[in-house]
Amino acid sequence: GIVSLISLAVLSYERYCTMTGTREVDTTNYRKTWTGIALSWTYSLVWTVPPLFGWSSYGPEGPGATCSVNWHSKDANNASYILCLFIFCLLIPFVIIVYSYGKLLCAVRQVSGINKGMGRTREQRILVMVVVMVICFLLCWLPYATVALIATFGKPGLITPAASIIPSILAKSSTVYNPIIYIFLNKQVSEML
């Protein structure tokens, strides 16, 4: 899940740089792509490994069918980890995404009146596709983050195992939606089908 959100943040920033840049995009150079992938995975590992070394812990989630961070524990060690996850793995990437797409939308509006070329139309379709991916991701992960924060900082027993099932299933299934969205919103893929 963290890799998915960080990847969306990196992708939004890359889209912003590509569309607002003055140079022609080099489609044969994959260095930026591999750097973004490595950054996403490294950042995610930095935030998922600490429970293995004692900062919080992993354990059964909800009715015990899945495993997750132990967000039912009320100790300071666990609460600090949950708060850091929320800030560094959901809030900051979301701010990057909103900033990048906000700036990008302003740039697209300015250019749309001047240049109605095929390249800009393609970039606008990609922008719509990525924005839909981000909205879908947030619809999946915000309920889970909310339940985790309430369970960690709210009254004990406020979140029952049954109440955490749907947010957990939504969160765990979020990575399935991006390829589906990509297939339906990418013109090149749609034409091949």
Side-chain angles (χ1 to χ4, degrees):
I2 293 172
V3 170
S4 181
L5 183 56
I6 301 305
S7 295
L8 288 175
V10 169
L11 181 61
S12 69
Y13 184 72
E14 187 275 332
R15 285 286 102 203
Y16 165 70
C17 291
T18 300
M19 284 197 63
T20 58
T22 55
R23 295 183 302 139
E24 187 68 28
V25 178
D26 182 8
T27 58
T28 60
N29 185 357
Y30 295 106
R31 191 157 145 202
K32 253 172 67 173
T33 303
W34 285 111
T35 302
I37 292 169
L39 175 71
S40 298
W41 279 93
T42 303
Y43 190 85
S44 299
L45 279 172
V46 164
W47 287 105
T48 54
V49 168
L52 300 176
F53 296 103
W55 189 19
S56 188
S57 63
Y58 289 114
E61 176 181 53
T66 60
C67 192
S68 181
V69 174
N70 181 7
W71 35 268
H72 289 291
S73 174
K74 300 285 185 191
D75 66 1
N77 181 28
N78 187 61
S80 65
Y81 180 70
I82 297 293
L83 192 59
C84 283
L85 273 182
F86 182 76
I87 292 169
F88 292 100
C89 297
L90 185 65
L91 194 59
I92 290 175
F94 183 66
V95 167
I96 291 169
I97 290 167
V98 168
Y99 173 81
S100 296
Y101 286 133
K103 289 289 197 179
L104 192 57
L105 287 173
C106 290
V108 167
R109 284 187 180 151
Q110 288 175 346
V111 172
S112 65
I114 300 167
N115 182 1
K116 295 191 186 279
M118 190 66 161
R120 292 295 177 195
T121 303
R122 180 179 164 271
E123 292 295 334
Q124 288 173 350
R125 287 184 58 84
I126 291 171
L127 175 64
V128 168
M129 177 182 63
V130 175
V131 168
V132 170
M133 285 180 186
V134 170
I135 290 170
C136 184
F137 185 90
L138 289 175
L139 288 174
C140 291
W141 280 96
L142 278 179
Y144 186 76
T146 303
V147 165
L149 288 173
I150 291 170
T152 302
F153 298 104
K155 292 180 185 176
L158 189 60
I159 301 293
T160 64
S164 67
I165 292 173
I166 292 177
S168 177
I169 290 171
L170 278 173
K172 306 280 193 252
S173 65
S174 69
T175 56
V176 173
Y177 305 131
N178 286 350
I180 293 169
I181 292 167
Y182 183 78
I183 288 169
F184 286 111
L185 290 179
N186 189 327
K187 191 174 182 179
Q188 293 169 334
V189 174
S190 300
E191 290 173 355
M192 292 186 336
L193 299 176

